[in-house]
Amino acid sequence: KKKKKKILYNQLSEYVTTQYNKALTKDKKRNVAFALVILQRRFASSTYALLCSLDRRRNKLMELLKKVDSANVPVTNKIFDFDEIEDLSEDQRWEEEDEILSLSASENRAELEKEIATLNELYDAAKKIIDNLEEIKLRELKNTLDLLDEKFPEQKIIIFTESRDTLEYLYKRITNTWKYTAVTIHGGMKLEARIDAEKSFKNDSIRVLIATEAAGEGINLQFCHLMINYDIPWNPNRLEQRMGRIHRYGQTKEVFIYNLVAKDTREGEVMYRIFEKLNEIKQAMGSDKVFDVISDVFIGKSLAQLLLDASMNARNKEDILKEIDIKIDKEYIQKVKENLGDTLATRFIDYTQIKELNDKAREYRLIPEYTEAFFKKAYEKAGGQITFRDDGFVSVDSVPFAIRTIANDINFKKKFGTIQVKYKKTSFDKQKAQSESDSEFLSFGHPLFEAVMQWIEKELYNTIKQGAVFTDPSNKYNGIIVYYEARINDGKNEVAGKRLFAIYHDRNNSTILPFSASLIWELCATGIISEPPVDVEDIKNKALPGIFKSLMEYKSELQVERDRQAGIKEKYGLRSLDELILRLDHDLVLLYDRKDKGESVELPIRNKEEQKRIYEQSKEKLKKEIRLEKTLAISNPVFIGAIRVIPSEVVSDEMVSDADIEKIGMDKAMVYERSQGRIPEDVSDRDLGYDILSKDLQGNVRRIEVKTRAKTGAIALTVNEMFKARRFTIEYYLYVVFNAATNPELIIINDPADNLLAIEREEVVRFIIDSEEILKKGQKQI
């Protein structure tokens, strides 16, 4: 069976190589070379794809034969640019390739008839292989699917191919013969249909997605971690894009990618050697990012050209393999790292400084417990109900009419999408939502969550203007907090940043101080109290100078980031356009030289000059865009609302905050951290749910909440602190300092949310932990 396909490969190669070389020797027939490249690539995809392409080419040449007189075969005036075709969208590229398949290097009727006869022989040979189910790669696909089925039962699998013919053939084989459930995504589908197919693959009991590169356009497949490349694109950028569908920042599972390569073909052997070398570079670098930027890892090599030369037998195979066999030493790895850093900074920005960005996001993101609490209250207020399932997920059985009315608005649909009638499996925790393919992440951006947000704004916005009363369990605050929303716009009049600002007016001494907007989480909603009315307008006027001061500081933060992004665009975007313009100048010089020699090259000259004009316009547009994005201006703050904060009446004396005692505790904790070789940072003013962020030289992190008592006694964790303890688990530490007024003792408890018995005190929104519990579970330090 293997021998039959090898014979077909050799027959096709002989036909392709002969016709390819013949086309290249005749200027007016050079386009034909593209048709032969297409045939070879289709065969690399599948025998079925080759069969379909041979049939199309044969039929087109038979149509051409009807128009041929006894002398010459007509020549098309259209100039095909291979690089330009590669850059087209998938459906456009397929159309161009089908048109190219009608071109022939034959010059007269006799040559054309002979070529058609050769195509008939090739077609019959390919059909026998398919009819007898003798395609080895198809059998390897079945073996790979069975392997994945055994190792990852019920997990989703993506199969990628370049050819729509291969896609349709695989779909029939996988669903009809092998009895897997499957859907397809390809360039002939509208974006809406692709998104529907993706949703069906994600949410329904669909096991396999068979896709072409079109699955990478506006579709998120990151919930899947198993991929099979049934064929390998010769354009390395497309292979990178395929892998980037699932192998990217944010993927929570280990990714497995299987590449099916026919080693007994010239281009297959080259491709196999490329993957071997990539794996060697990966081992030397200790990073699998090399597979995401393949073209940049092989410095100074055009992999597409090497594969083309191999398939067309344009160069000696050993010479091509020798060119790939680069020496992987320290110097080369350093160059790769530098190249990789540049590339990731522009094309794969989400990989840059992954750990730092991820840590920062974890510290500052609104944790799921808060979005869950908000949604539950708001949804019930709107007349809906959610059910908490035994497996930790949440189901939404029906959507209230008021929410559906908002979601049916055409502008809402364009921005957020369509809401479903019900959601059987959702989670407010992103990691949990991604852990199962049939669940959805219910948070900001989700159409149901956004519809509820808009309902709140519509129905209850005026209520916040009237104010509300909160209790402060720490007894620190007694006054008014006013909230403002302010934006920073750029020169394009687009929002560069938006932030909520708060100012606290202390009723005890009439001072006006900046206040962390997130501290409202530490307060307990009380209701209405009877006391003299508050002059909020006076407080607002006094607060504005502080708001503007904070806003200017925020603008400075954004300016640093905008300048950094502008630097990347200037360095890489403008440089890339300069390089493209330079290449076109070089091509135009050669074309004008050919024109001077009498060749008819007016059309390609016009195409190149038009492309150069477009690039020059793009360059000027990008320069203007960079300038405008760097120009930032503040907008007028918008008053959101005000709250009255009153001290708690149920807090014991030992729970009352004492700044001097707290400082002793913080100092004790900081000294201890330094003594252990870690580098502690006081972050108590950032309202992160802990007081100290401590790191060792290996980058391991401790998030430390410090609680101090003058003697001994119970301690209280706020809701935010407890939620963060649950979120960070073993990274979260509770440092309790007892006897701070006399002889401070440090007691350390790791993962307090799991290791301590906390009694929730809802009336003061705190979790109380008894001193005996701390001494029993904690670890004393000298």
Side-chain angles (χ1 to χ4, degrees), residues 501-697:
F501 296 92
I503 294 290
Y504 169 63
H505 174 260
D506 193 323
R507 297 196 73 179
N508 295 326
N509 53 29
S510 298
T511 55
I512 298 285
L513 299 170
F515 191 85
S516 172
S518 63
L519 274 176
I520 193 172
W521 296 114
E522 309 292 3
L523 307 176
C524 181
T526 301
I528 299 175
I529 62 171
S530 57
E531 62 173 34
V534 177
D535 187 356
V536 175
E537 289 301 319
D538 180 58
I539 296 173
K540 286 165 60 178
N541 292 332
K542 291 177 180 177
L544 277 175
I547 295 290
F548 275 106
K549 183 176 181 291
S550 299
L551 189 53
M552 291 301 294
E553 292 171 355
Y554 179 45
K555 178 190 172 187
S556 298
E557 291 177 28
L558 291 176
Q559 190 69 61
V560 171
E561 177 61 18
R562 280 299 174 108
D563 289 344
R564 187 190 71 83
Q565 292 177 3
I568 292 174
K569 289 185 178 182
E570 287 168 349
K571 183 177 180 181
Y572 299 103
L574 295 178
R575 182 192 293 176
S576 298
L577 287 167
D578 283 336
E579 178 66 24
L580 291 168
I581 292 168
L582 189 63
R583 288 181 192 175
L584 287 169
D585 283 336
H586 177 264
D587 293 345
L588 285 167
V589 168
L590 296 178
L591 286 168
Y592 276 113
D593 184 55
R594 288 169 59 184
K595 181 181 179 182
D596 292 341
K597 293 177 181 178
E599 295 186 37
S600 177
V601 289
E602 287 80 6
L603 185 57
I605 285 176
R606 284 201 303 272
N607 289 341
K608 296 287 184 184
E609 287 181 337
E610 174 63 17
Q611 190 63 59
K612 180 184 175 183
R613 184 185 67 80
I614 292 172
Y615 286 149
E616 287 174 338
Q617 287 181 343
S618 297
K619 179 182 175 181
E620 292 304 312
K621 182 180 178 182
L622 180 57
K623 286 168 69 175
K624 180 181 179 182
E625 183 180 275
I626 292 171
R627 186 177 69 254
L628 293 174
E629 287 178 349
K630 288 172 65 176
T631 305
L632 300 181
I634 64 173
S635 64
N636 284 325
V638 177
F639 176 68
I640 298 297
I643 65 172
R644 170 76 169 95
V645 183
I646 59 174
S648 173
E649 297 178 356
V650 293
V651 178
S652 61
D653 290 340
E654 66 178 10
M655 292 288 186
V656 177
S657 175
D658 185 318
D660 293 333
I661 293 296
E662 288 179 359
K663 185 178 186 304
I664 293 172
M666 283 291 290
D667 290 344
K668 180 75 174 177
M670 296 286 277
V671 168
Y672 173 78
E673 285 302 288
R674 294 190 185 100
S675 73
Q676 300 302 305
R678 290 185 284 270
I679 304 171
E681 178 188 2
D682 184 347
V683 296
S684 56
D685 61 343
R686 300 182 193 173
D687 306 311
L688 299 175
Y690 49 89
D691 297 315
I692 298 172
L693 181 66
S694 188
K695 297 180 181 179
D696 62 19
L697 296 178

Side-chain angles (χ1 to χ4, degrees), residues 199 375 379 399 403-404 406-408 412-420 423 440-455:
K199 285 184 177 179
F375 183 85
Y379 201 64
V399 179
I403 304 298
R404 282 187 279 118
I406 290 171
N408 285 334
F412 181 93
K413 288 182 178 180
K414 286 180 179 179
K415 188 172 183 180
F416 301 111
T418 305
I419 64 170
Q420 299 175 22
Y423 297 86
E440 292 200 38
F441 178 41
L442 189 55
S443 188
F444 300 102
H446 189 284
L448 181 60
F449 199 97
E450 292 294 338
V452 172
M453 289 276 287
Q454 288 195 16
W455 182 85

